[in-house]
Every structure is written in C-alpha cells, then in structure tokens.
Amino acid sequence: MSSGVPGGRHGMGTVRFSMTCSLDGYVTDPDGDFRWTAPSEEMHAFVNRRVRELSTFVLGRAMYETLKVWDDWEADSAVEQEFADLWAGRDKIVCSDSLDALAAPRTTLEPRLTTERLAEIAAGADGVVEVAGPTVAAEALRAGLVDEIEMFVAPHVLGGGTRAFPDGMRTALELVESRPFAAGAVFLRYRTRP
C-alpha cells in the first residue's frame, strides 16, 4: 500500500516487490549482465526516498551479492553516501541454500523463503518489507502475498535473459504512481488487487 497506510491487506506489514527491468521485462540480459540498470543521479536520489520506507530487505543470493558492495562503499557523491547509510540501517534477510554463512551487520541467512516465513517477517517488521530478486520473490508473487509492485523500466530491449516475473503469476494491478526520468527510465508503482 502507499506510504502512510498501516500494513498490507493480508493482516501484516506491507510487502513490496521492486526491480529494475528492461522494456521487455528482463532483469538481466542473456549473459547475466545488468550494468544497463545503473541509475542516473536523479533516479538514485528517487530510489533513496523509496528505501527510507523500508525496515527489511529480503534478498536472494544473486541480489545480495550485487548489493553487498554497499557494506564498504566509498561514495563518490552525496546520493551514493545516502544509499550506503540507508543500506547499513536496514535489516537484510538473505535466502540461499548455497551460502554457508554471512558476516555482515544486520544480515541473516535463511535457506529458502517460504510464503509462511515471508508472512512472519512482514508481521514483525516496522515498515515496508521489500522482496528483491525475481527468483526469491517468485513464490510470494504467485501466491498473491505482494501488496505493491514497483518497476523501474530502463530504456533497453534485451530480447532474453532473466525475467522479472515468474511463470504462473496472474494478478490485476492498479497504477498508483508513475514518474519518468530525464535519462529515459520510468518508475511504475502498482497496488495488487485481491
């Protein structure tokens, strides 16, 4: 739900799925490359405002390995430093059965994200729980546990790669916010309908 609305519609905190994808719906290209998703300064500042709402990141292994650079980031700009500070101030739950241990602050490891466990995380969260990564979010998306979907659509067509949404997912969406960026990306925020 939108900021200021307490809790999601499932009797728990708000669960949000957020990703950057190409216009044709891929989060990586066929070679696994995602460098084309790098945000402009304007878009990064906007992302920071969205992250302020979060209490918890729920991440798959690949997404965590992409974002963990922020644990030791040497910022080149104020917007990067702000994101590094926000990252440090949020709980991170990494769902992976291929990692043995994590030695990062405010970071815990779980072997797999089930819908039951996500409901527990959301119920105990003081703020929005963001599930990031198409694989870790797949079951929650198919089960209808996601209250909001946020997509940053980059001005690229990739023709293949890792898809943002899983097979078998069907839901109606209500557009509640959109914003274009000068570099050509577009932010779309949808509320899922019951």
Side-chain angles (χ1 to χ4, degrees):
M1 304 258 163
S2 62
S3 179
V5 177
R9 67 173 188 276
H10 306 289
M12 59 187 188
T14 299
V15 177
R16 179 164 81 196
F17 174 62
S18 183
M19 290 296 305
T20 298
C21 70
S22 63
L23 184 60
D24 53 345
Y26 295 99
V27 299
T28 66
D29 71 14
D31 297 320
D33 187 15
F34 56 87
R35 286 175 289 188
W36 50 271
T37 67
S40 65
E41 186 93 354
E42 174 196 22
M43 188 169 148
H44 204 160
F46 181 83
V47 168
N48 290 355
R49 288 194 294 278
R50 305 299 298 150
V51 172
R52 282 189 208 116
E53 298 177 358
L54 301 184
S55 69
T56 309
F57 284 101
V58 178
L59 308 158
R61 180 192 53 79
M63 186 61 67
Y64 171 69
E65 289 178 347
T66 298
L67 291 172
K68 72 179 181 179
V69 299
W70 293 100
D71 287 334
D72 303 308
W73 191 261
E74 293 186 20
D76 293 327
S77 67
V79 73
E80 287 184 359
Q81 186 59 56
E82 181 184 24
F83 185 86
D85 293 343
L86 289 165
W87 172 259
R90 301 301 179 273
D91 292 328
K92 277 82 68 179
I93 299 172
V94 181
C95 303
S96 172
D97 57 9
S98 62
L99 293 172
D100 294 326
L102 298 172
R106 297 188 73 162
T107 305
T108 58
L109 179 64
E110 300 213 4
R112 183 172 177 269
L113 180 67
T114 64
T115 54
E116 293 81 10
R117 180 63 182 124
L118 179 59
E120 289 174 4
I121 293 165
D126 183 22
V128 175
V129 173
E130 183 170 288
V131 183
T135 303
V136 75
E139 189 175 346
L141 286 164
R142 281 192 293 258
L145 289 181
V146 174
D147 299 295
E148 289 188 351
I149 296 173
E150 293 186 350
M151 303 305 292
F152 291 87
V153 181
H156 294 271
V157 174
L158 302 178
T162 302
R163 291 177 43 208
F165 295 101
D167 289 338
M169 178 189 171
R170 292 180 63 107
T171 188
L173 303 170
E174 174 190 0
L175 181 65
V176 292
E177 185 179 357
S178 63
R179 176 183 169 161
F181 297 94
V186 177
F187 170 75
L188 302 168
R189 180 165 70 97
Y190 292 95
R191 186 173 295 126
T192 57
R193 292 179 178 170

